[in-house]
Amino acid sequence: MTLFKARSAAVYGIDAHLIDVEVDFSQIKLDKEQFSTVGLPDAAVRESRDRVRSAIKNSGFEIPPTKITINLAPADLKKEGSGFDLPIAIGILGAYGALAIKDLDDFLLVGELGLDGSLRAVPGTLPIAVAALANGIRNVIVPASNAREAAVVEGVNVYPVKSLIEVRELLNSAATGTITATPLAVKADDLLNETQHFPFDFKDVRGQHVAKRALEVAAAGGHNILMIGPPGSGKTMLAKRLPSILTPLKFEEALETTKIHSVAGVLDGEQGLVAQRPFRSPHHTISDAGLIGGGMVPRPGEVSLAHNGLLFLDELPEFPRNVLEVLRQPLEDGTVTISRAAMSLSFPARFMLAAAMNPCPCGYFNDKRRECMCTPPMIQRYVSKVSGPLLDRIDIHIEVPAVEYKELRGGAAAEGSAEIRERVLAARRRQHERFGEAAERTKGSSKGAGRKVFANAQMNTQQIRAFCVLESDAERLLERAMQQQGLSARAHDRILKVARTIADLDSAESVGTRHIAEAIQYRTLDRSYWA
């Protein structure tokens, strides 16, 4: 046999596409082996010939010097990465008759080879396993350190291997109809349940009752939040505890989030599944490509790594303005589209934004205990680094003042995350029931078209009108606030969304006066904070 085919996959975005690795060699022996790879391979794939040659030799196999041609089909898709090492090596062994099995259509192989024939981890094995399942391939062979994430996919047999020799033995045993190796079994529900513990708890926070209440409202409705206060007031401390009151990930959310982390190469191999909502906190020196994603072949950035979780931006005005402006699309659409000459890819980016900033360069504007040394022009330049359109996409902005000594040293125990989380979960259940019933009523009609709504923050204009029904007193209060504070139409909608969440926390059907009043208090920047 001079032609042999193995199956692998290439990852584009967060999805994988099957690739046929076809190996052909000439019968004519040469003085020196000729090795060529076609099918739009990148540099890492072209360099695989040296790794594969050494891995085969050091695994005890002898390949005569002939011309070897590797075709990666379909040829019009660019192939990148070192994951094709294993299928290329197996294809070569099969073409030269070193394998007992002749048909690998029911096997998908991926992995990087070391010069000694050992297998190393590669990114993206979870979407590769998903692609195998979707295409009816029952067996997936991956490096041992990638096996847990691939085994999360039910319906495929995932075989963890450590060397090229192990792969050959596994395939030879398959030729007799009895595979000797045992596929790895992972129960996703167990992974989700065993990791529901958090290193930070709200019971550690002294004082800041208004800020903690605002964070509870934000978590209950999925609202973006901005905290403004002097250094040391506890803004970062509060943000780090926000994940402890968010709703747990559902399996579908965990799978999608894990695919992103797998493709980006940041998934812990021992973890296998991202079981907690991500918390990403990039430094303010990050580039726009690092935040939004990019590269010659686009890779997910921080906003996609925070998908289904929380993105925390500390010292918000210190981020370059062009970096902050790229947040507008994901905050509005929940996706990021990155276009390059070779391809255009979209990554999910539906996250909750939490941001913190000082009120001025020195940090002590409006502070009761320390004098601010900044001039009005300095404060204006500092604040103007955050654009109005970005602030418009943040539902809640609150002041976080310095903690008083009595509160800091008080003996009374603060409310813990577990109690707050119960209220958040109850409010989210009400929202799921409301939006689920609305989706059923509009199923099959144009009104039901569009993305699903899971939280109050995601409501569109029609849903705001339908679900944010105000009592008469609340209507008058909102009208008075709009006129006196000169609020915009966007701020009007933000207040209604937040008020609906507060009503859900109170188990109220309609939005009352106290709900509107509290929501208005969470619009600090609309009240001329720097005046």
Side-chain angles (χ1 to χ4, degrees):
M1 179 182 292
T2 62
L3 178 64
F4 196 87
K5 184 177 76 171
R7 310 195 82 177
S8 189
V11 178
Y12 301 94
I14 63 169
D15 297 313
H17 300 269
L18 290 189
I19 301 296
D20 289 333
V21 180
E22 300 173 335
V23 179
D24 181 68
F25 73 93
S26 68
Q27 299 284 4
I28 303 173
K29 292 188 177 182
L30 306 173
D31 294 333
K32 184 178 180 182
E33 178 186 299
Q34 295 181 12
F35 197 120
S36 63
T37 305
V38 296
L40 283 183
D42 73 344
V45 179
R46 288 194 298 270
E47 289 173 354
S48 66
R49 62 178 178 268
D50 298 317
R51 293 191 297 271
V52 168
R53 183 189 294 113
S54 296
I56 291 175
K57 177 183 176 182
N58 293 324
S59 296
F61 304 105
E62 289 294 334
I63 301 299
T66 58
K67 181 178 181 181
I68 301 174
T69 303
I70 311 294
N71 179 42
L72 306 177
D76 59 339
L77 291 178
K78 187 174 180 61
K79 321 302 185 307
E80 67 157 2
S82 56
F84 294 103
D85 288 5
L86 178 60
I88 288 174
I90 290 298
I92 292 174
L93 292 179
Y96 281 100
L99 296 178
I101 191 170
K102 305 303 179 185
D103 185 359
L104 292 182
D105 284 347
D106 208 22
F107 287 86
L108 190 149
L109 303 97
V110 63
E112 177 185 335
L113 284 172
L115 299 184
D116 59 351
S118 61
L119 279 172
R120 296 172 179 157
V122 294
T125 51
L126 176 58
I128 287 173
V130 172
L133 178 65
N135 287 274
I137 300 176
R138 294 181 300 171
N139 305 300
V140 179
I141 299 177
V142 299
S145 50
N146 288 129
R148 282 180 68 83
E149 63 174 287
V152 169
V153 181
E154 295 183 0
V156 294
N157 300 318
V158 175
Y159 295 97
V161 290
K162 295 182 179 179
S163 68
L164 181 60
I165 294 176
E166 275 190 49
V167 179
R168 178 179 181 260
E169 292 174 351
L170 189 154
L171 294 176
N172 283 342
S173 67
T176 63
T178 55
I179 298 178
T180 55
T182 302
L184 180 66
V186 172
K187 292 185 178 180
D189 290 340
D190 293 343
L191 289 177
L192 287 173
N193 294 330
E194 72 186 18
T195 55
Q196 293 305 313
H197 60 276
F198 302 93
F200 304 108
D201 196 289
F202 271 102
K203 67 182 179 183
D204 303 325
V205 180
R206 298 288 182 175
Q208 301 298 6
H209 303 294
V210 173
K212 286 196 284 188
R213 169 63 177 178
L215 289 171
E216 177 182 339
V217 173
H223 302 286
N224 301 322
I225 184 169
L226 171 63
M227 295 175 284
I228 309 167
S233 60
K235 304 184 293 296
T236 304
M237 186 179 187
L238 288 163
K240 287 183 177 180
R241 283 152 180 78
L242 186 52
S244 67
I245 62 173
L246 297 178
T247 58
L249 278 173
K250 297 180 180 179
F251 176 69
E252 293 77 12
E253 292 178 312
L255 192 65
E256 188 177 34
T257 305
T258 306
K259 286 170 70 175
I260 298 171
H261 285 237
S262 176
V263 169
V266 298
L267 182 66
D268 184 356
E270 295 299 322
Q271 187 179 12
L273 186 73
V274 177
Q276 290 183 355
R277 296 196 178 274
F279 178 83
R280 306 295 298 185
S281 179
H283 193 261
H284 59 76
T285 56
I286 191 171
S287 65
D288 52 354
L291 186 65
I292 211 74
M296 290 296 293
V297 176
R299 285 282 184 263
E302 289 291 333
V303 296
S304 294
L305 293 173
H307 179 62
N308 288 325
L310 179 68
L311 178 68
F312 176 52
L313 302 182
D314 202 2
E315 305 295 345
L316 187 66
E318 299 299 332
F319 285 80
R321 180 156 181 159
N322 67 301
V323 173
L324 293 179
E325 289 306 298
V326 299
L327 283 173
R328 289 160 63 173
Q329 184 202 358
L331 285 174
E332 198 72 27
D333 303 331
T335 60
V336 169
T337 301
I338 303 172
S339 297
R340 295 292 182 266
M343 64 182 67
S344 179
L345 296 176
S346 293
F347 296 101
R350 187 176 60 250
F351 57 89
M352 180 179 162
L353 174 66
M357 62 180 288
N358 296 331
C360 65
C362 78
Y364 297 105
F365 180 79
N366 272 352
D367 188 61
K368 297 178 182 178
R369 295 179 296 183
R370 298 189 62 171
E371 182 181 358
C372 174
M373 305 302 293
C374 305
T375 63
M378 291 170 60
I379 297 175
Q380 182 60 37
R381 282 195 301 271
Y382 181 77
V383 174
S384 64
K385 293 180 180 179
V386 184
S387 69
L390 179 60
L391 290 176
D392 270 347
R393 288 165 172 79
I394 300 177
D395 298 348
I396 299 174
H397 13 94
I398 57 165
E399 184 177 3
V400 183
V403 183
E404 298 292 339
Y405 179 80
K406 291 182 179 180
E407 290 182 319
L408 193 62
R409 299 294 297 169
E415 188 177 32
S417 295
E419 295 84 358
I420 300 174
R421 194 183 197 193
E422 286 301 314
R423 295 194 295 269
V424 170
L425 289 172
R428 280 296 182 101
R429 282 193 293 270
R430 296 185 188 95
Q431 294 168 48
H432 291 164
E433 292 171 2
R434 180 189 307 128
F435 298 131
E437 292 172 359
E440 286 296 322
R441 288 196 301 270
T442 58
K443 185 180 292 184
S445 68
S446 59
K447 292 182 180 179
R451 69 178 185 180
K452 292 182 180 179
V453 175
F454 299 99
N456 289 333
Q458 299 168 356
M459 288 192 292
N460 58 32
T461 304
Q462 291 80 9
Q463 290 164 333
I464 292 173
R465 291 173 181 169
F467 302 131
C468 300
V469 179
L470 302 184
E471 298 174 358
S472 56
D473 291 344
E475 188 75 59
R476 287 192 291 271
L477 176 61
L478 179 59
E479 180 183 5
R480 190 160 60 250
M482 291 285 294
Q483 292 175 348
Q484 291 178 355
Q485 298 182 21
L487 301 179
S488 65
R490 191 187 291 265
H492 166 271
D493 289 350
R494 302 289 181 192
I495 290 172
L496 287 178
K497 290 180 183 180
V498 174
R500 178 66 266 177
T501 300
I502 297 169
D504 288 335
L505 286 168
D506 284 351
S507 304
E509 289 297 324
S510 59
V511 180
T513 306
R514 67 182 183 278
H515 308 137
I516 287 290
E518 184 177 350
I520 292 172
Q521 293 305 307
Y522 294 145
R523 300 296 298 180
T524 297
L525 300 187
D526 293 332
R527 298 196 301 272
S528 301
Y529 177 79
W530 283 280

